């Protein structure tokens, strides 16, 4: 295997993969030298002798590598995935699958055209309690479900991530290659966003990602999709903005999105200035049925009967971390050629639902999804489903 992008999440994926039997780390790749050296040392401590390279194209050109892991910033996911499929490699790609809808469709086409196993990083699908919760929903245990709710709450200082000035890139960073197909911009510490004890801040800039909705919301909405049969929402409408933070982030700090699915609606919400003093339930999902309510998060699910229902209260706690299980599932599918738990088509749909939520907010319009043609019914929104790549990069299946 080759590992492309070995920052915080890339390192977690590298560690998870190294614990699986039969995995040899042949290469680690990053445009930032400190990350590259750290990943190389980690792999060697595990008994591997990886090449350390800055340019992912060297990894894709290596015919001895069977599969790759992509943990780059989001704006690189589609291009590298498509090129890896063309190079005959299976792919584990972090979520969200893409920044624009049409990129995700290209990823699905590439996986099918080149007969590749492509697993999205929505690892909750490999968790036993998440699987059981979705089975209960699909099996009608809750009765008729009319509403699902998803959320994440946090409490950030109003200064947020600050307002650092543009500057020269730090030593050891290939900033132009980091930008890749994204627009050319002078280096800014927040756009790169590599800080100790923090996930990269690139996720708060539209050039590279989609804020809390595509970062955390995809995990929650992905379970809604899994429970409802992996269908796309029929309609999406969003309201929100920057009501709290005074930093240079571009994505909303407060957002509410409503999705209409066949037979029910679902919502996503996040805020950055209040947690109600809670120490739990800061990120979760509730399915509201005629017979009961099912709450599920990364620690447990809890079933609460509706008044007058014949249901009994039930609870299931997480026993095993789903992330290593997700990797085990991917590697098993590489060997057996079966579809993985988070096949790229399902990860694309969950990613697209989040992207459409952001698009509804930015365009200030309700969007209706045309499932037959994989586009919006509103013609004026269709240009925003695409992303213009900076040369010389071209997304071609």
């Amino acid at each position: 295997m080759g590992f492309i992008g070995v920052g915080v999440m890339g390192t977690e994926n590298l560690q998870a993969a190294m614990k699986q039997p039969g995995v040899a780390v042949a290469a680690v790749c990053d445009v930032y030298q400190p990350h590259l050296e750290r990943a190389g040392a980690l792999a060697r401590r595990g008994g591997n002798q990886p090449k350390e390279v800055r340019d992912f194209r060297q990894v894709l050109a290596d015919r001895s590598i069977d599969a790759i892991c992509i943990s780059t910033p989001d704006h690189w996911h589609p291009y590298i995935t498509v090129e890896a499929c063309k190079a005959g490699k299976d792919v584990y790609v972090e979520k969200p699958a893409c920044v624009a809808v049409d990129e995700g469709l290209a990823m699905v086409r590439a996986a099918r055209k080149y007969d590749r196993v492509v697993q999205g990083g929505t690892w909750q699908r490999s968790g036993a309690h998440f699987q059981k919760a979705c089975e209960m929903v699909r099996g009608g245990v809750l009765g008729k479900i009319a509403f699902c709710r998803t959320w994440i709450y946090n409490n950030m200082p109003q200064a947020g991530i600050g307002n650092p000035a543009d500057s020269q890139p730090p030593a050891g960073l290939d900033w132009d290659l980091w930008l890749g197909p994204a627009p050319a911009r002078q280096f800014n510490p927040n756009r790169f966003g590599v800080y100790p004890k923090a996930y990269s801040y690139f996720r708060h800039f539209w050039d590279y990602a989609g804020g809390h909705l595509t970062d955390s919301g995809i995990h929650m909405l992905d379970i809604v999709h899994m429970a409802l049969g992996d269908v796309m929402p029929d309609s999406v409408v969003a309201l929100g903005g920057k009501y709290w933070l005074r930093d240079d982030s571009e994505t909303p700090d407060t957002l509410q999105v409503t999705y209409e699915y066949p037979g029910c609606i679902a919502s996503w919400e996040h805020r950055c200035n209040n947690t109600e003093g809670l120490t739990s339930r800061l990120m979760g999902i509730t399915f509201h049925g005629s017979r009961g309510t099912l709450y599920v998060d990364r620690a447990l699910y809890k079933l609460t009967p509706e008044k007058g229902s014949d249901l009994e209260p039930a609870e299931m706690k997480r026993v095993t971390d789903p992330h290593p299980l997700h990797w085990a599932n991917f590697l098993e599918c590489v060997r057996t050629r079966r579809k993985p738990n988070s096949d790229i088509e399902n990860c694309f749909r969950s990613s697209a639902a989040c992207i459409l939520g952001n698009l509804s907010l930015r365009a200030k319009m309700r969007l209706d999804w045309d499932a037959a043609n994989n586009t919006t019914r509103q013609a004026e929104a269709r240009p925003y489903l695409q992303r213009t790549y900076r040369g010389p990069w071209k997304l071609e299946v």
Side-chain angles (χ1 to χ4, degrees), residues 1-18 20 23-31 36 39 42 51 53-60 62 65-74 76-85 87-97 107 116-123 323-324 326-328 330-331 334:
M1 284 202 65
F3 292 79
I4 301 171
V6 284
V8 175
M9 195 64 219
T11 299
E12 290 185 19
N13 281 323
L14 176 60
Q15 290 172 322
M18 286 171 56
Q20 303 299 323
V23 173
V25 181
V28 291
C29 174
D30 204 284
V31 297
L36 187 59
L42 176 62
K51 295 185 295 185
V53 298
R54 285 197 176 194
D55 193 323
F56 68 89
R57 289 169 289 192
Q58 293 177 253
V59 180
L60 301 187
D62 188 338
I65 292 177
D66 304 298
I68 65 165
C69 173
I70 304 169
S71 304
T72 62
D74 303 354
W76 266 118
H77 294 176
Y79 183 89
I80 300 177
T81 295
V82 168
E83 292 300 308
C85 289
K89 303 188 190 312
D90 297 320
V91 179
Y92 183 110
V93 59
E94 265 307 322
K95 55 77 200 166
M107 296 167 81
R116 295 295 92 199
V117 172
V118 182
Q119 170 97 300
T122 41
W123 50 261
H323 187 218
H326 205 53
W327 267 95
F330 170 62
L331 295 167
V334 167

Side-chain angles (χ1 to χ4, degrees), residues 297-355:
D297 63 17
R298 290 178 171 177
L300 54 78
Y301 78 63
K302 186 174 183 178
L303 173 61
T304 303
E306 190 68 5
K307 185 177 180 180
S309 169
D310 60 351
L311 285 181
E312 294 293 329
E315 183 175 302
M316 178 180 179
K317 294 184 178 180
R318 187 187 88 173
V319 176
T320 305
D321 182 359
H323 187 218
L325 297 178
H326 205 53
W327 267 95
N329 171 254
F330 170 62
L331 295 167
E332 178 188 7
C333 293
V334 167
R335 297 178 179 112
T336 63
R337 311 315 295 169
R338 291 197 294 266
K339 283 187 179 180
N341 288 344
S342 290
D343 175 69
I344 185 58
E345 188 165 2
N346 292 335
C347 189
F348 156 68
R349 287 176 181 150
S350 299
S351 301
C354 296
I355 292 167

Side-chain angles (χ1 to χ4, degrees), residues 271-302:
R271 61 178 183 260
C272 294
N273 70 331
N274 174 274
T275 62
E276 290 187 71
L278 299 178
T279 56
S280 61
R281 296 199 176 190
L282 298 180
M283 181 177 182
I285 309 148
T286 49
F287 296 94
H288 298 270
S290 56
R291 301 179 69 215
T293 297
L294 183 64
Y295 167 80
V296 59
D297 63 17
R298 290 178 171 177
L300 54 78
Y301 78 63
K302 186 174 183 178

